[in-house]
Amino acid sequence: MEKTLNNKAWFMVLPVLFIVALNAIVPLMTVVNYSVQDTFGNNVFFFEGTRWFTEVLHSGRFHASLQRQFLFTFTILVIEIPLGVAIALTMPRRGFWASVCLVLMALPLLIPWNVVGAMWNIYALPDIGLLGYGLNWLGFNYDYTQQPTAAWFTVILMDVWHWTSLVVLLAYAGLRSIDDNYYRAAQIDGASRWAVFRHIQLPKMKHVLTIAILLRFMDSFMIYTEPFVLTGGGPGNATTVLSIDLVKAALGEFNLGVAAAMSIIYFLMTLLVCWLFYTIIMQGEKE
Amino acid sequence: MTLELRNVSKRVGAELHISEVNLTLEKGSQNVLLGPTLAGKTSLMRLMAGLDRPTDGDILVDGKSVVGVPVQKRKVAMVYQQFINYPTLSVYENIASPLRVAGADGATVDRKVRGAAELLKLTPFLERLPLHLSGGQQQRTAIARALVKDAGLVLLDEPLANLDYKLREELRVELPRLFAESGAIFVYATTEPHEALLLGGATATLSEGRVTQVGTTIDVYSRPCDLVTAQTFSDPPLNVVPMQKSGGRLSYDGKSIATPTGTETLADGLYKVAIRPHHLLLHRPPGESIEVQATVSATEITGSESFVHVEHGGSRWVALTHGVYRLEIGDRVAVFLDPTGFLVFDAEDRLVAAPAAAVRQTAGRA
């Protein structure tokens, strides 16, 4: 089939290209610039090639924070996705209580991230915080400012509290899109509760759940504010995830080359995961 | 089994969805629930199935009340307007699902599934997923699932509404036959009068949650007991013309004819005369008729037939005629009200006269 080509259409793309160049490509190129050079101040730069990349990739510190990052992301996904689906399943399908539940569910999502961090910081303090004091009163030896496990527990609990709602809302939207007649048909068939979940609800939620996993992965992989406010990466380096480590390197130690190389590796990893998800979703669409 | 509904009402909140319905459906009978959208067809079916509990009244199977018996324990199968199948199961497993729940052995399952698939022309698609099939095949899968269940009560809620014309024609012919052998009570809900006529059997017309009339389909069509029933059972809509009877004459708009057969004995007064579109004529009939000059407001031409919408004295009528009529909007046409098609209703909308000719005509057509 013969197509009419009009190259003038490219001009329409120019404004977008311009804006994207200014707010994404130029800053990114600056980072690329730093990642291959070294400086001792006064805006004098020396070309270093791949030195920073090699250094970062071989550094035990980077490996450790990357491991912590994956452990964190994996843990919260394993908790938040099933928990979110479970909560969505128990929510009423319609009526007054459905609206009440939705508003309650949305509340944590409306709180600014640093406020969440600050809230939990105080809430979990063993001497004055309700959670911290309560746990100690119950006989647990809990102090997240001193014990790595306690710190991890608190960071994960905080993230679950803050973000499970997002999974709930997405799963709930997926559930709501199921025609009532599916349930009636299953009821007439005499299908069990599990069969209804396995063969009707889960397949119908597949798309929103993929998106929920993608969103939660991206967000948790780049998490900074909440753990920074809550633990500052401590005690020691126990909760120093990638982004916290990155900021330490860039602004704390002013190690611009190393930080820039880390940023780019970090960016490529995120991009890779995004691409993986995109492929999976597109594959699903085709079916 | 025999299904009996006694004074069944269903109230949801302040709304009355079903109002004092009395129906008896015999084993092996074919029944049509005819009514416009929101008339209560689905609500009534859900009560019959046992998905909902009636607020009032009793539902009996073979003389025993089944109110409160959960739907899984009743022998019911239902097919919906939407194509409802398990999305992750193959066509084979979908059809097998009610048998698996019932705990049938592998050989029985296989025999029944293949039998049903053969009847519904699904054999080549047994290993596919429902979503990879056409709408017609998806609905066939749902019907096959209802068929293997060997239910005593088969409820079909506008099963063909989402299918295209050809598939609908095809399945409509097959459906009653498929379930006839099983001896099940077959209930078919539809909004389309011609679908009810094509299915035959018995028809119950519904309007605003009430059953307005029950009877053999042809009887209900030719002798609707009231105006609402007549309107429910007419598509395109019924033309309702107010006429005055005085002495031996029936008059409208200054013109009158001798009272047609069946209306001679009626008291003098104002009546509502309903005329089905095919009795509103654009050419002079052989006998006496009322001629009215009307303005064309629209014509819809299907090829073999034309729907001519006309306006007269503030009311809109529609005439259904054979062949193609080339009429422009605003044209003046002569319209003939043919007394052989008059359904006469009194001031309370009750039928007082239906011409014998109308009965003969419909009986002849069916």
Side-chain angles (χ1 to χ4, degrees):
Chain A
M1 205 173 75
E2 198 63 32
K3 272 188 192 164
T4 326
L5 285 175
N6 187 345
N7 285 318
K8 278 182 198 147
W10 286 105
F11 287 108
M12 302 291 192
V13 189
L14 275 181
V16 174
L17 210 63
F18 181 71
I19 292 166
V20 171
L22 268 189
N23 71 14
I25 299 173
V26 171
L28 185 65
M29 287 324 288
T30 324
V31 175
V32 172
N33 207 19
Y34 282 138
S35 73
V36 292
Q37 300 190 74
D38 197 2
T39 181
F40 302 103
N42 297 333
N43 255 351
V44 186
F45 288 91
F46 306 92
F47 185 72
E48 291 284 3
T50 56
R51 181 182 148 194
W52 301 131
F53 287 94
T54 326
E55 202 165 286
V56 168
L57 287 172
H58 287 94
S59 108
R61 173 179 151 182
F62 178 73
H63 290 169
S65 51
L66 185 62
Q67 267 172 21
R68 282 192 287 267
Q69 183 64 66
F70 274 115
L71 181 65
F72 175 74
T73 297
F74 176 78
T75 315
I76 65 111
L77 280 180
V78 163
I79 298 173
E80 286 175 17
I81 300 292
L83 183 64
V85 171
I87 294 175
L89 284 172
T90 55
M91 271 165 65
R93 280 170 65 74
R94 51 178 65 87
F96 174 72
W97 289 108
S99 316
V100 172
C101 286
L102 283 176
V103 171
L104 285 179
M105 277 297 143
L107 273 181
L109 299 175
L110 301 175
I111 300 173
W113 300 5
N114 55 343
V115 177
V116 172
M119 257 167 62
W120 279 79
N121 185 314
I122 296 165
Y123 181 50
L125 278 177
D127 42 2
I128 57 163
L130 182 63
L131 175 72
Y133 187 84
L135 283 174
N136 280 295
W137 184 78
L138 285 172
F140 295 99
N141 177 19
Y142 168 89
D143 180 1
Y144 77 93
T145 58
Q146 302 294 325
Q147 306 149 335
T149 21
W152 266 87
F153 170 77
T154 318
V155 170
I156 284 165
L157 193 64
M158 172 178 69
D159 198 83
V160 168
W161 176 83
H162 195 185
W163 289 110
T164 305
S165 297
L166 181 77
V167 183
V168 173
L169 293 182
L170 283 166
Y172 187 69
L175 285 173
R176 279 281 290 269
S177 72
I178 302 173
D179 194 295
D180 278 351
N181 282 341
Y182 274 95
Y183 296 117
R184 292 196 201 113
Q187 207 183 339
I188 286 180
D189 277 1
S192 63
R193 184 72 196 81
W194 168 250
V196 170
F197 176 70
R198 171 72 190 78
H199 295 300
I200 297 172
Q201 289 172 323
L202 201 56
K204 292 271 171 185
M205 277 195 293
K206 201 174 82 181
H207 289 300
V208 284
L209 280 186
T210 321
I211 291 167
I213 294 172
L214 174 65
L215 287 178
R216 281 317 298 133
F217 179 89
M218 297 304 303
D219 254 0
S220 65
F221 204 68
M222 298 187 295
I223 193 169
Y224 175 75
T225 319
E226 296 145 283
F228 179 76
V229 177
L230 182 66
T231 62
N237 276 333
T239 56
T240 302
V241 287
L242 262 188
S243 61
I244 293 181
D245 199 21
L246 178 63
V247 172
K248 272 185 187 165
L251 303 178
E253 300 150 25
F254 219 68
N255 231 332
L256 286 189
V258 169
M262 260 174 82
S263 296
I264 286 170
I265 295 165
Y266 197 0
F267 170 68
L268 288 177
M269 282 192 303
T270 322
L271 205 64
L272 176 77
V273 175
C274 270
W275 175 80
L276 272 177
F277 268 99
Y278 179 79
T279 320
I280 293 168
I281 292 173
M282 282 299 137
Q283 210 94 50
E285 293 285 318
K286 259 185 245 154
E287 270 174 18
Chain B
M1 72 186 232
T2 310
L3 180 74
E4 193 184 345
L5 279 74
R6 275 191 206 156
N7 278 320
V8 169
S9 295
K10 174 75 185 172
R11 198 182 290 278
V12 178
E15 278 175 76
L16 194 60
H17 285 199
I18 292 295
S19 168
E20 302 200 355
V21 166
N22 284 292
L23 271 180
T24 305
L25 308 176
E26 299 292 340
K27 179 178 157 61
S29 63
Q30 272 190 40
N31 310 276
V32 178
L33 294 179
L34 176 67
T37 315
L38 295 179
K41 300 185 298 294
T42 305
S43 307
L44 192 55
M45 284 198 149
R46 283 167 58 181
L47 289 170
M48 287 178 177
L51 286 163
D52 286 343
R53 260 181 105 108
T55 322
D56 279 307
D58 206 356
I59 297 173
L60 302 104
V61 169
D62 294 329
K64 266 189 279 175
S65 174
V66 290
V67 173
V69 176
V71 62
Q72 305 87 282
K73 299 217 170 125
R74 304 192 190 183
K75 294 198 144 228
V76 180
M78 193 158 175
V79 177
Y80 305 83
Q81 180 179 345
Q82 300 87 348
F83 314 136
I84 307 284
N85 293 301
Y86 296 104
T88 48
L89 298 181
S90 66
V91 169
Y92 185 99
E93 280 306 319
N94 258 290
I95 302 174
S97 63
L99 300 169
R100 297 237 193 268
V101 171
D105 64 275
T108 317
V109 170
D110 196 64
R111 184 171 48 78
K112 286 199 168 182
V113 169
R114 290 191 188 282
E118 197 59 45
L119 275 174
L120 285 152
K121 302 177 191 134
L122 286 168
T123 312
F125 313 110
L126 279 176
E127 297 315 315
R128 301 241 204 123
L129 290 178
L131 277 180
H132 296 175
L133 302 177
S134 72
Q137 289 157 348
Q138 288 183 41
Q139 191 64 317
R140 280 168 187 279
T141 307
I143 292 167
R145 222 177 50 230
L147 190 64
V148 293
K149 214 185 163 188
D150 253 332
L153 176 64
V154 177
L155 302 163
L156 297 105
D157 191 0
E158 299 187 53
L160 308 179
N162 286 5
L163 292 175
D164 64 55
Y165 182 75
K166 254 196 93 169
L167 285 167
R168 208 185 315 176
E169 300 288 289
E170 207 178 286
L171 265 176
R172 186 189 296 126
V173 180
E174 293 171 29
L175 267 179
R177 231 185 34 219
L178 285 171
F179 289 97
E181 281 177 35
S182 66
I185 302 173
F186 180 87
V187 185
Y188 188 103
T190 180
T191 56
E192 297 172 37
H194 74 273
E195 206 161 53
L197 287 166
L198 284 165
L199 286 163
T203 290
T205 47
L206 271 111
S207 171
E208 292 170 358
R210 286 182 311 116
V211 169
T212 57
Q213 192 174 354
V214 190
T216 60
T217 306
I218 301 292
D219 282 349
V220 178
Y221 176 75
S222 48
R223 296 193 62 87
C225 65
D226 54 22
L227 191 57
V228 171
T229 309
Q231 276 163 335
T232 306
F233 220 143
S234 184
D235 179 51
L238 212 55
N239 304 305
V240 183
V241 183
M243 290 194 190
Q244 180 74 38
K245 183 187 180 277
S246 55
R249 308 290 289 174
L250 199 58
S251 61
Y252 170 70
D253 196 32
K255 294 167 188 107
S256 69
I257 49 168
T259 43
T261 329
T263 63
E264 303 93 333
T265 53
L266 294 178
D268 286 359
L270 197 62
Y271 290 91
K272 290 174 190 159
V273 174
I275 305 164
R276 289 219 160 85
H278 63 274
H279 285 298
L280 196 65
L281 307 174
L282 295 181
H283 48 83
R284 192 180 299 279
E288 208 182 7
S289 65
I290 295 178
E291 182 179 343
V292 170
Q293 291 297 319
T295 313
V296 174
S297 56
T299 31
E300 299 165 274
I301 298 166
T302 66
S304 58
E305 291 168 332
S306 299
F307 295 92
V308 181
H309 297 258
V310 296
E311 272 178 29
H312 179 264
S315 39
R316 270 185 90 137
W317 299 339
V318 54
L320 170 64
T321 58
H322 285 288
V324 176
Y325 277 72
R326 208 176 271 281
L327 290 166
E328 298 299 322
I329 294 169
D331 282 358
R332 301 286 288 173
V333 287
V335 175
F336 301 91
L337 311 182
D338 180 7
T340 57
F342 282 4
L343 294 165
V344 186
F345 297 91
D346 65 11
E348 273 86 51
D349 289 347
R350 283 187 306 251
L351 184 79
V352 287
V359 180
R360 258 207 315 277
Q361 215 174 344
T362 44
R365 264 169 133 201

